[in-house]
Amino acid sequence: MCGIVGYVGEVGLGERSVEVLLGGLKRLEYRGYDSAGVAVIDADGRLDSRKKAGKLKMLIDDLEATPLVDGRTGIGHTRWATHGGPTDSNAHPHLADDGRLALIHNGIIENFSELKAELVSEGVEFQSETDSEVAAHLVARAYRAGGGDLAEALRMVVNTLHGAFTLLVVHADQPGLVVGARRNSPLVVGLGDGENFMGSDVAAFIAHTRRAMSIGQDQLVSIRPDSVEVVDFEGRPVETTEFEVDWDASAADKGGWSSFMAKEISEEPEAVANTLLGRAVDGAVTLTDLDGVREQLLTVDRVIVIACGTAAYAGILGKYAIEQWARIPVEVELAHEFRYRDPVLDARTLVVSISQSGETMDTLMAVKYAREQGAQVLSICNTQGSTIPRESDAVIYTHAGPEVAVASTKAFVAQGTALFLLGLHLATLRGTLTAEQIAEQVTDLQAIPEKITRVLESSDRIRTLAGWMADTRSVLFLGRHVGYPIALEGALKLKELAYIHAEGFAAGELKHGPIALIEPGQIVFVIVPSPRDPRSLHPKVVSNIQEIRARGARVIAIAEEGDAAVLPFADEVLHIPLAAPLFESLLAVVPLHIFGMELAAAKGLDVDQPRNLAKSVTVE
Ligand code: F6R
């Protein structure tokens, strides 16, 4: 949840650690934004630090007014509060009692109370209410006791901690060294020329280098200007592999848009197209990403999709596609429910995890659990160098590019696309669709990016609609078949972005309860299936519209172009181009993403950083 950055540079690159750290924090601010801080060591071994509650801007303004000493070594942090409120003193870095060591932390140290009690009984005075400060004091003590080996001191301490953590430390005696350690929390190294970096994700250093190295579970890394050394928590050297980040700094900028979210919604066509690239060719689907698990994919008899939030709604699209095309039963489950309910898994179970960040703790833990139980785990992920792909048997990367706005938009359509590809791949392997049927689906899927572009052209109309509804207190969303997860997604976006009570329902469920909520003026979005839908769901949903309209609801229908049947009953109709029934979902979701964003903007809210939320939920 928090953003972490570390930097060391050689003499020739100048004293610029504050600038590098703040630049990294700006790109990581989406991970946590209730406070921020930096600590820097200058060439004379002076440690200076500053931290401020509030958004990063507060810290930047403060540093402009009173600059820190600068140097070539430092660490920086943006916080999403867990233990202790968002105050200056709870912000990171935390200094050890001798003031010579600074530490930043992402995660939760579960045994911090016992450790703190021990330190307090030994006379340590705590400056904050955080769990993290404990680690600062412990590492400083181990450093003094061990004769000044910072990496060894951190290694001793991490072996006494329970929970999830990425820790970065610097010590005034050691200009030119940053040491990091991780367990169940992200850490990536950036490899520069005469300088090296650490970050919670590659965005921290993408402005300086695209060469990166991910750090594995229970590993510790020491970076110096000219070296990177990785050991495990036992102190044994670890082999590492580099990777090249496939996007650059400009991809992580707003590029002239009013918000990252506006930019990311505009990138939805590209997110789908890039996810299809090289995988849907000549009317066939080729997922070479899955070559290593081909035999297992042939024998699985059950699929369980695990994910959280928006990614779980994309998972429902996967269920409908895989069941229809590959005839394998699919369950979709929230990752945090899955791992605590003792699910029955074996080698014939394929667990598909979905995560934009690749770091969501609940999903990661569910992945690990599933593998321990003998299931095959395939992950759909958008972030290179993240943890979930490393813990999986195979991975399909979505190529949506960096998603910075906290609420997910373009990642959703990319995840849906990857699941459709997976469904067609399974159908190809298992022979449940003919080559012609697959070719037909592939052609339809390839047309989706251009159709999303057409939906985006109606943004102005949706903005006007959202402007009218700025005072709305409750909105309901109804959908059937793939319209159901889209209704859930529309409601979630509205809650997150505009802080409006919103619920998504399966339209068929309406008469089983939710219809009681309908009163005059209640706004209801209805995702209307195509009149061409072979299941004849269209007339049923049109009946639902009539039922709620009769009770005074104001209906906004999202319907296929040319669908005349909804016109007499809806107050507004937002049209989407014609598409195959499953793929309509990728079109219908777009107006809802725009609506959530525009309604939040109409209320004057920050659409990129909604209150209380963090981009990747790396704690339970
Ligand atoms: C909603 C949203 C969240 C994420 C969820 C999973 O807009 O962004 O619901 O979808 O926290 O995150 P990832 O996909 O990173 O695992």
Side-chain angles (χ1 to χ4, degrees):
M1 327 264 297
C2 307
I4 276 186
V5 54
Y7 173 71
V8 276
E10 64 183 19
V11 180
L13 295 170
E15 313 272 290
R16 58 180 197 126
S17 51
V18 173
E19 176 198 326
V20 173
L21 294 172
L22 291 179
L25 290 183
K26 269 187 205 155
R27 289 193 197 280
L28 291 182
E29 201 186 5
Y30 68 92
R31 297 183 73 98
Y33 35 88
D34 60 39
S35 47
V38 289
V40 169
I41 295 170
D42 76 3
D44 302 326
R46 273 181 308 172
L47 188 155
D48 203 358
S49 75
R50 187 77 46 78
K51 49 194 197 170
K52 280 269 152 220
K55 293 209 172 181
L56 182 60
K57 173 98 179 52
M58 305 289 286
L59 175 71
I60 293 174
D61 289 350
D62 195 72
L63 288 170
E64 267 167 21
T66 336
L68 277 187
V69 302
D70 211 344
R72 295 177 286 106
T73 307
I75 53 178
H77 189 267
T78 57
R79 179 168 185 250
W80 187 89
T82 55
H83 292 66
T87 59
D88 285 358
S89 53
N90 288 336
H92 301 215
H94 293 289
L95 301 190
D97 45 358
D98 62 5
R100 299 191 57 74
L101 175 141
L103 171 143
I104 53 179
H105 169 221
N106 174 19
I108 293 178
I109 297 170
E110 285 168 1
N111 57 334
F112 90 97
S113 310
E114 300 98 275
L115 297 168
K116 184 170 179 174
E118 247 175 78
L119 287 164
V120 169
S121 73
E122 289 167 20
V124 175
E125 281 182 27
F126 276 75
Q127 308 299 319
S128 76
E129 305 149 303
T130 65
D131 51 335
S132 317
E133 191 183 343
V134 167
H137 296 300
L138 289 174
V139 181
R141 291 178 158 227
Y143 179 83
R144 289 194 295 264
D149 183 335
L150 190 57
E152 185 56 14
L154 182 60
R155 194 183 72 75
M156 306 277 286
V157 171
V158 289
N159 280 303
T160 67
L161 304 180
H162 304 162
F165 48 82
T166 301
L167 296 167
L168 258 56
V169 283
V170 289
H171 197 287
D173 297 350
Q174 313 269 348
L177 172 67
V178 181
V179 185
R182 64 155 294 208
R183 168 177 290 163
N184 296 331
S185 196
L187 180 60
V188 189
V189 169
L191 304 165
D193 198 4
E195 55 186 353
N196 287 307
F197 309 82
M198 290 195 217
S200 332
D201 64 56
V202 297
F205 47 74
I206 194 69
H208 306 281
T209 180
R210 287 168 70 169
R211 281 176 54 220
M213 176 194 284
S214 45
I215 301 301
Q217 172 74 344
D218 285 1
Q219 292 180 0
L220 191 132
V221 54
S222 304
I223 59 167
R224 295 184 169 81
D226 52 0
S227 71
V228 173
E229 211 179 304
V230 185
V231 296
D232 64 17
F233 280 7
E234 304 301 316
R236 294 175 297 231
V238 168
E239 256 188 52
T240 53
T241 39
E242 276 183 48
F243 65 95
E244 177 97 4
V245 183
D246 63 6
W247 48 272
D248 62 15
S250 65
D253 288 337
K254 270 192 221 165
W257 291 86
S258 57
S259 62
F260 280 106
M261 178 158 283
K263 173 176 177 255
E264 287 160 11
I265 293 174
S266 82
E267 289 168 346
E268 292 193 354
E270 224 179 309
V272 174
N274 288 343
T275 301
L276 289 175
L277 204 69
R279 292 165 168 165
V281 182
D282 295 335
V285 168
T286 320
L287 283 179
T288 48
D289 327 54
L290 305 188
D291 283 353
V293 289
R294 191 174 186 280
E295 291 311 310
Q296 290 89 331
L297 294 184
L298 280 166
T299 54
V300 291
D301 58 11
R302 193 159 68 111
V303 175
I304 306 180
V305 178
I306 50 168
C308 299
T310 282
Y313 301 153
I316 304 177
L317 300 178
K319 171 183 169 71
Y320 293 170
I322 294 169
E323 289 191 338
Q324 185 181 326
W325 292 332
R327 308 306 296 148
I328 310 172
V330 184
E331 298 155 47
V332 182
E333 191 150 356
L334 295 168
H336 34 90
E337 288 296 316
F338 168 83
R339 62 182 275 239
Y340 290 113
R341 75 166 165 82
D342 206 5
V344 181
L345 304 169
D346 58 29
R348 292 165 72 95
T349 311
L350 174 68
V351 168
V352 177
S353 91
I354 312 172
S355 176
Q356 188 287 129
S357 60
E359 299 293 351
T360 298
M361 175 65 88
D362 289 313
T363 310
L364 171 62
M365 289 305 172
V367 163
K368 287 187 178 181
Y369 176 83
R371 285 188 88 195
E372 279 158 23
Q373 304 297 308
Q376 297 295 317
V377 177
L378 187 170
S379 290
I380 293 177
C381 182
N382 194 44
T383 309
Q384 290 172 288
S386 61
T387 310
I388 290 174
R390 292 173 66 98
E391 298 289 337
S392 306
D393 297 293
V395 53
I396 304 176
Y397 280 105
T398 47
H399 295 298
E403 194 178 64
V404 175
V406 165
S408 205
T409 53
K410 64 174 176 173
F412 176 84
V413 291
Q415 287 159 352
T417 305
L419 286 158
F420 292 144
L421 285 172
L422 176 63
L424 292 170
H425 182 71
L426 289 170
T428 309
L429 283 181
R430 300 164 75 105
T432 45
L433 291 183
T434 63
E436 291 72 34
Q437 287 170 318
I438 288 176
E440 197 184 322
Q441 298 296 338
V442 167
T443 308
D444 283 353
L445 194 49
Q446 284 174 318
I448 292 298
E450 187 269 328
K451 291 178 180 176
I452 297 180
T453 304
R454 278 165 52 200
V455 179
L456 290 172
E457 283 160 11
S458 56
S459 297
D460 286 351
R461 174 118 181 273
I462 302 169
R463 182 176 311 119
T464 311
L465 210 58
W468 292 338
M469 294 185 194
D471 296 330
T472 302
R473 296 172 62 89
S474 161
V475 180
L476 303 181
F477 294 80
L478 297 179
R480 259 193 111 128
H481 188 239
V482 289
Y484 169 47
I486 300 308
L488 297 174
E489 169 67 357
L492 179 60
K493 287 294 102 96
L494 213 53
K495 287 180 217 181
E496 293 182 290
L497 299 171
Y499 316 151
I500 288 177
H501 170 256
E503 292 297 331
F505 297 107
E509 193 67 5
L510 188 66
K511 292 196 269 298
H512 300 283
I515 198 162
L517 290 171
I518 306 294
E519 54 188 15
Q522 171 69 51
I523 294 169
V524 186
F525 276 77
V526 183
I527 298 111
V528 185
S530 164
R532 302 169 293 116
D533 181 76
R535 297 167 197 81
S536 306
L537 291 174
H538 179 266
K540 297 185 204 311
V541 173
V542 175
S543 295
N544 289 145
I545 295 180
Q546 287 168 272
E547 288 153 12
I548 54 177
R549 229 2 224 323
R551 289 163 177 81
R554 287 174 59 200
V555 174
I556 301 164
I558 298 178
E560 183 176 281
E561 283 164 359
D563 179 353
V566 287
L567 293 177
F569 308 115
D571 296 85
E572 283 285 339
V573 182
L574 302 171
H575 288 294
I576 55 173
L578 275 63
L582 285 162
F583 307 149
E584 278 170 10
S585 53
L586 301 180
L587 305 178
V589 76
V590 179
L592 298 184
H593 283 165
I594 302 171
F595 181 73
M597 175 182 71
E598 293 296 354
L599 192 43
K603 291 178 72 174
L605 300 172
D606 181 342
V607 298
D608 286 338
Q609 296 178 344
R611 69 183 177 203
N612 305 340
L613 295 175
K615 179 69 183 159
S616 51
V617 183
T618 54
V619 294
E620 275 195 73

